[in-house]
Amino acid sequence: MNYHCLIVDDNEDSRIMLSEIIALCGHSFAEAKNAKEALSIYKNQAFDYVFVDWMMPQMDGIDLIKELRKIRAVLGQTSTQILQQQLRTQWCIVF
């Protein structure tokens, strides 16, 4: 099964590392370097998973997740899983 993922991280190296892992697993992805960009992309594409950095400038990961959940509810996207990066070393699923 192929998944479409959104990677949101202000650190380019982190985005590259995660995108390479996702691609190696045979999945597609889009990248955003900040929350504003992520919100714009999320409104125009359907994603199975969203990987969100915990700490970003302008809007942190928690606030971004709140906004993504609002958009998901409006668009009726109940299947999107939002993942949040903690301490840049561990990923956890946030429902």
Side-chain angles (χ1 to χ4, degrees), residues 16-72:
I16 290 170
M17 178 189 68
L18 188 54
S19 65
E20 288 177 356
I21 292 169
I22 290 170
L24 284 171
C25 292
H27 307 299
S28 61
F29 62 90
E31 297 180 39
K33 61 185 172 200
N34 58 50
K36 183 179 178 181
E37 191 175 293
L39 291 168
S40 176
I41 293 170
Y42 191 79
K43 289 176 185 176
N44 295 305
Q45 295 183 43
F47 292 97
D48 299 298
Y49 290 92
V50 179
F51 295 86
V52 178
D53 184 10
W54 183 270
M55 294 174 49
M56 295 183 292
Q58 299 167 351
M59 182 186 293
D60 65 25
I62 293 172
D63 290 335
L64 174 58
I65 288 169
K66 289 175 185 176
E67 292 301 313
L68 292 174
R69 285 180 174 163
K70 289 177 189 175
I71 295 168
R72 180 177 67 180

